[in-house]
Amino acid sequence: VRRRPRKEPKRFKVDKKCYLGRTYKDFKLYLDEHPSLTEVQMDTVLGPSGRSEKVLLTLYWKQANFLLVFLLPQRRSIHVIERFGWLRQRLGEKRFKLLFPLLLTDRGSEFSNPIKIESTDNEVWTHIFYCDPNNPQQKGALEQEHSMIRQIIPKNKCFDHLKQEDIS
């Protein structure tokens, strides 16, 4: 008789306080108060576990049926923050606030620093909200787009050989 090998402890633990005031219920209330705002659904598409570090950051405008995809080197919050900083710089304040008024995402660790995604130097650029746990249908339009991505890049395919030009 042999014992099972011990499981690796999680290296990163998400601070649950980041979800306070940012739940799906809060999102619906905010949307009722500001009906003219458009929502942008955000998520990541992962490569095969253990073989690929790279992930796809997907941003989907439901009303416009428009998908924007960025290749990130790792599934880390710092890379998501850097990408939003790049978008702020390229678009400018007015366009960024117009295009990204509301972000709806899941509770992945890569989105666990909402303050850094939302603002710079104490200036709020966007608002981020999180779906309820185990409820991907709350951002179902984006999940449908992911199934279309998987028709081109199957689930067991590695992203390591891809560049941003390939994704674009």
Side-chain angles (χ1 to χ4, degrees):
V1 178
R2 291 171 52 183
R3 291 184 181 197
R4 289 184 185 176
R6 289 185 182 194
K7 290 184 179 179
E8 280 283 321
K10 286 188 175 181
R11 292 184 199 127
F12 180 76
K13 202 166 189 174
V14 175
D15 184 11
K16 304 290 185 208
K17 292 177 187 172
C18 73
Y19 304 132
L20 294 175
R22 299 173 191 279
T23 63
Y24 190 72
K25 187 177 179 182
D26 297 321
F27 168 72
K28 285 297 191 185
L29 290 172
Y30 193 84
L31 206 54
D32 288 342
E33 292 172 14
H34 306 89
S36 64
L37 295 181
T38 59
E39 77 178 79
V40 179
Q41 297 178 1
M42 176 171 65
D43 201 0
T44 52
V45 178
L46 307 176
S49 60
R51 290 192 336 187
S52 179
E53 289 267 324
K54 292 184 178 181
V55 297
L56 302 177
L57 173 66
T58 55
L59 300 165
Y60 184 66
W61 285 261
K62 193 170 145 183
Q63 290 90 341
N65 195 24
F66 180 72
L67 179 69
L68 194 59
V69 183
F70 295 105
L71 185 65
L72 300 180
Q74 291 178 317
R75 185 183 177 206
R76 303 269 187 264
S77 62
I78 187 69
H79 299 297
V80 175
I81 293 164
E82 286 173 354
R83 182 53 59 179
F84 272 91
W86 180 84
L87 284 167
R88 281 188 205 104
Q89 180 186 19
R90 299 288 290 207
L91 295 171
E93 180 181 355
K94 189 175 180 181
R95 281 191 193 126
F96 185 89
K97 287 181 177 181
L98 180 69
L99 290 172
F100 296 95
L102 291 173
L103 293 170
L104 179 64
T105 188
D106 59 16
R107 294 173 180 236
S109 62
E110 64 273 25
F111 308 119
S112 64
N113 197 341
I115 294 169
K116 293 279 187 180
I117 296 172
E118 286 180 337
S119 59
T120 57
D121 301 327
N122 298 327
E123 183 183 353
V124 177
W125 291 67
T126 185
H127 297 280
I128 188 168
F129 294 94
Y130 297 94
C131 294
D132 295 330
N134 301 316
N135 279 313
Q137 72 274 8
Q138 291 176 342
K139 55 180 182 53
L142 180 59
E143 297 299 333
Q144 287 295 321
E145 295 296 316
H146 285 185
S147 67
M148 290 185 212
I149 290 173
R150 289 300 187 188
Q151 290 177 2
I152 299 165
I153 307 171
K155 196 164 190 156
N156 59 354
K157 283 281 190 176
C158 192
F159 296 157
D160 286 343
H161 70 284
L162 297 174
K163 296 181 179 121
Q164 181 60 48
E165 296 81 37
D166 302 325
I167 300 300
S168 298

